[in-house]
Amino acid sequence: MNPELERIRSEMKQKRKKTNKNVEKKRNGFSIYRYLCKVLLVVFLTLLVLIFIKKDPQFKTDFYKFVYNSHFSFATFNDVYEKYMGNPLPFKDLLVQGTEPVFNEQLVYKETNIYKDGVELKVDKNYMVPALDSGIVVFIGDKEDYKDTVIVQQANGIDVWYSNVSADNLKLYDYIEKGSLIGEVKTDSLYMVFKKDGKVLDYKDYIQ
């Protein structure tokens, strides 16, 4: 092989490695800069809202009404945020790499009966209820005719009610993954309701 040609190839490889290293450094620097910008933006918006809430009683009333009383789509907001801003948890892939969920199940039941706006599912006693899909917990409490209820707003905008469930492991606005634990049924019945934009949906389209 021509020694001169071999030398040129070697020099080109070295230059290519150096270029790749520089590009990688720039990417890492940009990622850190982008993350800091996201943090500062969130802090700024939070402070702005808190200032308005403190200074203007009417803004405080309107804000709480919009967020807590209206049908504010937390799941849609989370979806849009991740699309344009990335995951709010930095280095998520590195943090969760190699871990497996402790509980990851599919919904299992014996029979169905129509109940109010939804369905009664007959299950085993002490059945551990899995989430049908990923979403955000937007309600935990007592619902008339349904008793202890957890409402999960999925990314597709559907509110799923899981009722007659003891959900001591969940908190309001928790993000839960598909198949993760909602809670344990209090008897042998799980009541479910499916709604979107305040309208009741046919449960048959959402349970297997």
Side-chain angles (χ1 to χ4, degrees), residues 140-165:
I140 300 177
D142 188 41
K143 283 284 187 183
E144 187 177 358
D145 296 325
Y146 292 95
K147 302 304 178 185
D148 295 302
T149 298
V150 175
I151 300 179
V152 176
Q153 188 177 98
Q154 301 177 162
N156 56 13
I158 296 175
D159 291 346
V160 181
W161 296 27
Y162 302 85
S163 298
N164 193 35
V165 172

Side-chain angles (χ1 to χ4, degrees), residues 3-206:
E4 183 65 19
L5 183 60
E6 185 65 28
R7 183 185 63 80
I8 293 172
R9 284 180 178 175
S10 179
E11 288 179 357
M12 289 178 65
K13 283 182 181 179
Q14 293 298 325
K15 287 181 181 179
R16 202 175 296 121
K17 285 181 181 179
K18 190 174 180 181
T19 301
N20 290 339
K21 285 182 180 179
N22 290 335
V23 170
E24 190 65 28
K25 285 181 180 178
K26 288 181 180 179
R27 283 179 180 171
N28 291 337
F30 179 74
S31 296
I32 293 171
Y33 173 77
R34 189 166 177 260
Y35 173 68
L36 289 175
C37 286
K38 289 195 292 182
V39 171
L40 290 174
L41 178 61
V42 171
V43 170
F44 173 75
L45 291 175
T46 302
L47 289 174
L48 196 64
V49 170
L50 291 175
I51 290 170
F52 274 105
I53 286 176
K54 187 174 182 180
K55 295 290 184 182
D56 188 346
Q58 185 58 45
F59 177 83
K60 180 179 180 180
T61 302
D62 293 341
F63 177 80
Y64 276 86
K65 182 179 178 182
F66 174 70
V67 173
Y68 296 105
N69 298 332
S70 302
H71 193 78
F72 180 75
S73 182
F74 289 96
T76 302
F77 176 80
N78 182 72
D79 230 26
V80 172
Y81 182 90
E82 289 198 8
K83 180 179 179 182
Y84 293 101
M85 301 290 284
N87 196 283
L89 179 64
F91 318 120
K92 178 185 176 184
D93 293 336
L94 293 175
L95 290 172
V96 301
Q97 187 175 11
T99 63
E100 294 182 0
V102 176
F103 182 91
N104 189 347
E105 303 291 337
Q106 292 185 343
L107 184 66
V108 177
Y109 54 89
K110 300 173 183 178
E111 62 179 85
T112 64
N113 299 300
I114 294 175
Y115 182 84
K116 304 293 181 180
D117 291 335
V119 61
E120 175 193 19
L121 303 179
K122 283 297 181 181
V123 296
D124 292 329
K125 288 185 178 180
N126 305 120
Y127 176 66
M128 300 175 76
V129 182
L132 291 183
D133 209 337
S134 302
I136 295 174
V137 177
V138 295
F139 179 88
I140 300 177
D142 188 41
K143 283 284 187 183
E144 187 177 358
D145 296 325
Y146 292 95
K147 302 304 178 185
D148 295 302
T149 298
V150 175
I151 300 179
V152 176
Q153 188 177 98
Q154 301 177 162
N156 56 13
I158 296 175
D159 291 346
V160 181
W161 296 27
Y162 302 85
S163 298
N164 193 35
V165 172
S166 176
D168 300 330
N169 60 313
L170 292 181
K171 299 186 297 295
L172 200 60
Y173 307 126
D174 275 352
Y175 178 80
I176 59 174
E177 298 282 353
K178 179 180 179 179
S180 60
L181 179 65
I182 295 291
E184 188 176 299
V185 290
K186 293 195 164 185
T187 59
D188 61 349
S189 293
L190 169 65
Y191 302 97
M192 300 193 72
V193 179
F194 299 84
K195 290 186 176 183
K196 187 171 186 179
D197 299 327
K199 296 179 181 179
V200 177
L201 305 176
D202 187 351
Y203 72 88
K204 298 186 193 70
D205 295 333
Y206 302 99

